[in-house]
Amino acid sequence: LEFDNGSAIRSQATTASTGRGSAVSLLMLDELAFVPRRIQDEMWTSVAPTLSNGGSCIISSTPNGDQDLFAKLWRVSELELEADDLAFKNLFVEWHEHPDRDDTFRRSMIAKIGELKFRQEYACEFLSSDSLLFNSIILQSLRAEEPLYEDLGFKFWREFNVNTTYLVGVDI
């Protein structure tokens, strides 16, 4: 769509070279987390130069796992790096802010798609899409606790018991 003042709105299919060589003032990426991961990094590489030259970008997406480009950009936005030219300001819209969505809606959707998918699609949680030993919901609820003390690089959360055998496992 072109306007009399010379500006235009262009819609393109998402490919690894989307935006390459273009000069855009505003880039809109919809559902970035659902772009195949093999394309995400190449596409971002092709549009990033435009953004670093004064262009703006809006990304609207639901999470789709916790390791893709959208998840990484969201996490960086949470750090509020004001000095970074490519810094994003995040806006989280909660599912219940929609006037037709209440606890009845929540229960109904959980019954239809399950709690894990509800938390991803409606609560916008970055849950792992990989098969894990522990359920992603349980992992998401875990919180770090400060150790009581540290000795020789080992962290202790309980007092050492001389009558107990301790094993240390290392996954390098």
Side-chain angles (χ1 to χ4, degrees):
L1 179 63
E2 293 189 21
F3 298 94
D4 292 339
N5 66 1
S7 63
I9 297 174
R10 196 174 316 151
S11 177
Q12 294 181 343
T14 304
T15 67
S17 61
T18 295
R20 186 169 298 283
S22 298
V24 298
S25 57
L26 176 63
L27 173 67
M28 173 69 187
L29 299 174
D30 188 35
E31 293 296 1
L32 176 61
F34 292 89
V35 172
R37 289 187 186 164
R38 68 188 192 296
I39 294 176
Q40 287 179 4
D41 287 335
E42 287 299 318
M43 180 199 63
W44 189 245
T45 300
S46 74
V47 299
T50 295
L51 299 178
S52 67
N53 289 325
S56 297
C57 181
I58 298 172
I59 300 173
S60 171
S61 190
T62 304
N64 184 23
D66 63 345
Q67 297 297 314
D68 65 347
L69 177 62
F70 178 64
K72 291 173 189 171
L73 292 173
W74 183 270
R75 287 191 184 101
V76 169
S77 76
E78 291 179 318
L79 299 174
E80 300 176 8
L81 301 174
E82 298 294 329
D84 187 350
D85 288 342
L86 295 177
F88 283 93
K89 291 178 176 52
N90 62 41
L91 173 66
F92 174 70
V93 180
E94 298 188 48
W95 67 270
H96 55 81
E97 292 181 49
H98 188 288
D100 297 334
R101 295 181 178 169
D102 56 12
D103 200 52
T104 302
F105 171 84
R106 182 187 64 79
R107 287 192 309 272
S108 169
M109 291 309 299
I110 289 173
K112 288 178 186 173
I113 64 175
E115 186 173 355
L116 188 69
K117 287 294 183 186
F118 179 84
R119 289 176 70 163
Q120 174 186 292
E121 294 292 323
Y122 291 95
C124 295
E125 293 182 20
F126 291 93
L127 301 172
S128 176
S129 54
D130 298 331
S131 297
L132 303 171
L133 181 59
F134 297 101
N135 184 309
S136 287
I137 294 172
I138 293 170
L139 291 175
Q140 194 83 358
S141 68
L142 297 176
R143 297 293 172 250
E145 194 176 299
E146 289 296 318
L148 292 175
Y149 62 95
E150 188 171 338
D151 186 24
L152 298 173
F154 290 95
K155 295 178 181 177
F156 294 86
W157 283 265
R158 295 189 181 137
E159 289 297 330
F160 186 76
N161 183 344
V162 294
N163 298 320
T164 302
T165 300
Y166 293 92
L167 300 173
V168 177
V170 179
D171 179 2
I172 56 169

